[in-house]
């Protein structure tokens, strides 16, 4: 069996954005996928490529894993490096953005004086926030977290101000702000963060910048050579149409000495002991120590890593390229969000400069309020029932309306996060607006949680 690779002769069909694009995906015809931002989705053509690699691996396991896979992985890394304008030697793959954040934070050697701090915003993705807490707990005598609180809406200048004030407060407390973790686009709420400015400040202040770009590649324009972060990780399975789970981890050469090991540690690790560690049973490394660390981390099916070039090619030929995709998705999210808010008589979460919504996500305020006691005839919910109500609203959307929306309670109000994507159009937003109105009215009725179970 010959090697599967990107066939330059393969031509994909250019397709208009909106409902016509649905034919390329495997959605249930009854399902409306307005929550693309959580899990992403891959076109059938790209999953077919992935499965062809899996078939070849099953046909000749040792031949593929030992010899073919490393070559194809290098080709994929080269495609990702070109897309991000980064040197290929700085690019490796991990399973998801959370794994990338863990890899960086768990590789840092913290100072023994106990002054190190990890700075992060209160809007951090939950799993990454818990990673910081875990690292601090394990290294409780050497590093501690310091939260930076944001109350939205804020201008980019206000976010930068909070960041600078936190740095000053850390140093005033005789601490050392060692690492700052921040998003490209935060998850809940889904808002664009001025990560370029924050990275620049880190460089000026001697702080390591660790960018969580879970909503990054395929979502917003990225030029890593220009941004020049110390560490950057981005899911490819959310917005680049690569099958789950695949994320790119970028570490510039200057910082690769910090990243001693992949997670888990595998054959690529080079111990500093005089004996050099146990022998590596795999063929000789093709790349440097950093890249080789991540090439093989155990018997895991990473065929999804190999189809990045195919996904980029598909996006170019079917969708017209990255710029066209990003412009459509961002415009749809903004206009769709406004349409939903107008129907509900509420608003979207944005600032005066509209920088918060310069992405493919939009957050719409729901017509549902919280109070100490429910008020008959109004859309109000008792404060004690906030969590249970949120979960019930989401479940109703799944069970009765064949969709899922990330509904969340933030700053004392309920919000819904919607995604713009090439297979959606404004009618999907108009449709979900009606669903929101109906479920919020139900939530405000007496006995909602009891009768809806």
């Amino acid at each position: 069996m010959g090697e599967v690779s990107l066939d330059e002769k393969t031509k994909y069909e250019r397709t208009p954005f909106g409902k016509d694009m649905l034919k390329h995906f495997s959605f249930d015809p009854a399902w409306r996928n307005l929550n693309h931002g959580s899990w992403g989705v891959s076109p059938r053509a790209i999953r077919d490529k992935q499965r062809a690699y899996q078939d070849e691996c099953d046909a000749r396991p040792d031949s593929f894993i030992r010899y073919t896979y490393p070559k194809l992985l290098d080709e994929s890394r080269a495609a990702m490096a070109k897309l991000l304008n980064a040197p290929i030697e700085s690019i490796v793959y991990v399973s998801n953005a959370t794994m990338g954040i863990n890899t960086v934070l768990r590789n840092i050697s913290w100072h023994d004086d106990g002054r190190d701090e990890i700075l992060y915003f209160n809007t951090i993705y939950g799993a990454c926030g818990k990673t910081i807490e875990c690292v601090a707990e394990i290294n409780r005598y050497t590093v501690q977290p310091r939260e930076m609180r944001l109350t939205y809406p804020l201008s980019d200048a206000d976010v930068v101000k909070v960041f600078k004030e936190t740095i000053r407060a850390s140093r005033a407390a005789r601490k050392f702000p060692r690492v700052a973790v921040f998003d490209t686009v935060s998850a809940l709420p889904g808002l664009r963060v001025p990560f370029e400015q924050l990275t620049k400040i880190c460089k000026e202040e001697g702080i390591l910048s660790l960018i969580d770009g879970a909503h990054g590649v395929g979502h917003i324009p990225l030029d890593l050579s220009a941004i020049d972060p110390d560490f950057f990780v981005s899911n490819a399975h959310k917005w680049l149409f690569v099958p789950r789970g695949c994320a790119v981890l970028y570490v510039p050469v200057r910082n690769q000495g910090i990243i001693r090991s992949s997670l888990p540690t595998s054959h690529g690790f080079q111990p500093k002991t005089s004996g050099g560690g146990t022998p590596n049973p795999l063929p000789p490394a093709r790349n440097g120590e950093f890249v080789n660390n991540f090439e093989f981390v155990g018997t895991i099916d990473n065929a999804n890593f190999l189809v990045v070039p195919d996904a980029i090619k598909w996006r170019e030929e079917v969708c017209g390229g990255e710029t066209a995709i990003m412009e459509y998705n961002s415009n749809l999210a903004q206009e769709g969000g406004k349409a939903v808010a107008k129907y509900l008589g509420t608003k979207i979460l944005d600032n005066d400069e509209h920088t918060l919504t310069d992405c493919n996500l939009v957050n719409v305020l729901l017509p549902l309020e919280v109070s100490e006691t429910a008020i008959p005839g109004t859309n109000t919910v008792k404060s004690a029932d906030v969590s249970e109500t949120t979960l019930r609203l989401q479940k109703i959307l799944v069970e009765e309306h064949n969709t899922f929306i990330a509904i969340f309670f933030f700053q004392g109000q309920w919000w819904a996060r919607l995604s713009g994507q090439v297979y959606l159009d404004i009618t999907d937003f108009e449709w979900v607006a009606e669903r929101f109105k109906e479920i919020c009215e139900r939530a405000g009725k007496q006995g909602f949680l009891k009768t809806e179970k």
Side-chain angles (χ1 to χ4, degrees), residues 23-68:
K23 66 185 179 184
H24 296 294
F25 298 87
S26 299
F27 296 121
D28 183 323
W31 182 263
R32 295 199 191 221
N33 203 57
L34 285 154
N35 184 41
H36 183 101
S38 281
W39 318 115
V41 68
S42 187
R44 282 191 299 270
I46 306 308
R47 289 191 289 109
D48 289 345
K49 291 282 187 179
Q50 176 195 26
R51 288 165 184 172
Y53 286 128
Q54 293 169 331
D55 288 344
E56 183 174 352
C57 182
D58 285 343
R60 300 168 62 91
D62 275 287
S63 176
F64 185 86
I65 293 172
R66 293 176 184 272
Y67 303 105
T68 303

Side-chain angles (χ1 to χ4, degrees), residues 59-220:
R60 300 168 62 91
D62 275 287
S63 176
F64 185 86
I65 293 172
R66 293 176 184 272
Y67 303 105
T68 303
Y69 175 80
K71 175 178 176 293
L72 294 172
L73 187 63
D74 284 348
E75 293 175 2
S76 179
R77 290 174 45 247
M80 180 64 81
K82 181 179 179 180
L83 184 65
L84 294 174
N85 190 29
I88 186 174
E89 63 269 20
S90 67
I91 296 294
V92 295
Y93 291 122
V94 292
S95 57
N96 52 58
T98 304
M99 176 64 82
I101 297 295
N102 271 265
T103 300
V104 174
L105 292 180
R106 295 178 188 275
N107 267 281
I108 293 175
S109 295
W110 306 102
H111 294 140
D112 293 334
D113 58 12
R115 296 173 58 204
D116 284 352
E117 289 192 332
I118 303 172
L119 311 184
Y120 68 97
F121 290 106
N122 61 308
T123 51
I124 192 171
Y125 180 61
C128 295
K130 289 186 176 181
T131 298
I132 292 173
E133 294 288 349
C134 183
V135 169
E137 181 179 307
I138 293 171
N139 302 277
R140 61 186 181 277
Y141 299 116
T142 56
V143 62
Q144 292 297 318
R146 182 180 288 266
E147 184 183 72
M148 300 175 282
R149 295 206 61 81
L150 301 177
T151 302
Y152 282 107
L154 290 173
S155 67
D156 288 353
D158 288 332
V159 175
V160 168
K161 181 181 178 182
V162 170
F163 191 56
K164 289 182 175 179
E165 288 175 346
T166 304
I167 294 171
R168 287 196 293 269
S170 175
R171 289 179 172 151
R174 298 184 60 79
K175 298 295 184 178
F176 180 42
R178 184 82 179 280
V179 184
V181 182
F182 46 87
D183 300 300
T184 49
V185 177
S186 58
L188 292 175
L191 301 170
R192 183 157 176 159
V193 177
F195 61 94
E196 301 97 333
Q197 297 179 56
L198 301 180
T199 302
K200 182 179 179 181
I201 293 168
C202 284
K203 195 177 300 294
E204 295 168 348
E205 296 284 348
I207 300 170
L208 292 172
S209 55
L210 171 51
I211 302 179
D212 179 1
H215 300 277
V217 61
H219 186 157
I220 56 176

Side-chain angles (χ1 to χ4, degrees), residues 359-380:
C359 61
N360 303 346
L361 299 173
V362 65
N363 309 275
V364 180
L365 180 65
L366 294 180
L368 188 62
E369 298 181 1
V370 63
S371 65
E372 291 304 314
T373 58
I375 304 174
T378 64
N379 290 4
T380 59

Side-chain angles (χ1 to χ4, degrees), residues 261-309:
S261 174
S262 61
L263 296 184
T265 300
S266 192
H267 294 299
F269 178 69
Q270 293 293 318
K272 294 181 179 180
T273 56
S274 58
T278 56
N280 186 345
L282 299 174
R286 297 163 52 92
N287 300 291
E289 183 175 330
F290 169 71
V291 173
N292 193 48
N293 243 330
F294 292 84
E295 185 171 278
F296 181 90
V297 292
T299 309
I300 304 170
D301 180 7
N302 285 330
N304 47 353
F305 291 0
L306 305 181
V307 299
V308 167

Side-chain angles (χ1 to χ4, degrees), residues 220-238:
I220 56 176
L222 292 167
D223 182 338
L224 293 187
S225 290
I227 301 167
D228 194 28
D230 288 301
F231 307 98
F232 173 88
V233 61
S234 180
N235 287 323
H237 59 252
K238 280 187 184 288

